[in-house]
Amino acid sequence: MAPRSRGELAAAMARKGVEEPVVEQVLDRLTEVGLVDDVAYADMLVRSRQETRGLARRALLHELRTKGVEDDVARGAVADVSDEDERAGAERVVERKMRATRGLDEQVRLRRLAGVLARKGYPPGVAYAVVREALDAERDG
């Protein structure tokens, strides 16, 4: 079983019909013995999603919230992602997607690649800058 946040576990127990006081008691005990740790979970998820999916801070924050991680914990985990890390993630995503757009008009490639980055949560300025640099580098050599 993959690691889960306290919110995900509470939702799963609620779906199974477990009473709210029992849910809280079980989760408090699991937290007490270290089996549920939202801070460690959030840090792990941020590292993993940034490396494997190339998600930006905005998308990471959204995913943590949907997984039931408290807002302050989510913001703390995402704060560890530097601007340089985020830009490097965008560059990796564009590098992987460049091959799929070869042979298309440059403006079409620009829009498609920027769209990929936008869906991964990158701000428009970063997305267009990274895509333009990649296209220029490809054209130049």
Side-chain angles (χ1 to χ4, degrees), residues 32-139:
E32 183 180 306
V33 297
L35 294 174
V36 174
D37 182 354
D38 276 1
V39 173
Y41 174 76
D43 290 340
M44 178 273 311
L45 189 104
V46 164
R47 278 192 316 275
S48 171
R49 294 296 196 267
Q50 190 182 32
E51 290 172 14
T52 60
R53 293 187 185 169
L55 297 182
R57 288 181 288 233
R58 189 176 77 199
L60 292 167
L61 192 58
H62 175 73
E63 186 165 349
L64 287 169
R65 287 177 178 153
T66 62
K67 293 197 177 284
V69 175
E70 291 183 14
D71 199 46
D72 59 331
V73 173
R75 288 185 186 281
V78 171
D80 292 340
V81 178
S82 69
D83 290 343
E84 294 80 24
D85 292 338
E86 190 170 62
R87 186 173 178 91
E91 290 169 352
R92 285 191 305 272
V93 168
V94 168
E95 183 180 318
R96 286 192 310 253
K97 299 291 183 178
M98 289 278 291
R99 281 179 247 117
T101 63
R102 282 207 178 97
L104 297 174
D105 179 66
E106 187 167 324
Q107 288 301 312
V108 173
R109 292 181 84 190
L110 176 70
R111 281 194 316 269
R112 286 191 184 177
L113 294 169
V116 167
L117 292 178
R119 287 186 296 279
K120 291 187 177 283
Y122 290 94
V126 171
Y128 279 104
V130 168
V131 171
R132 285 198 186 283
E133 287 173 14
L135 290 173
D136 290 346
E138 183 182 75
R139 190 178 333 105

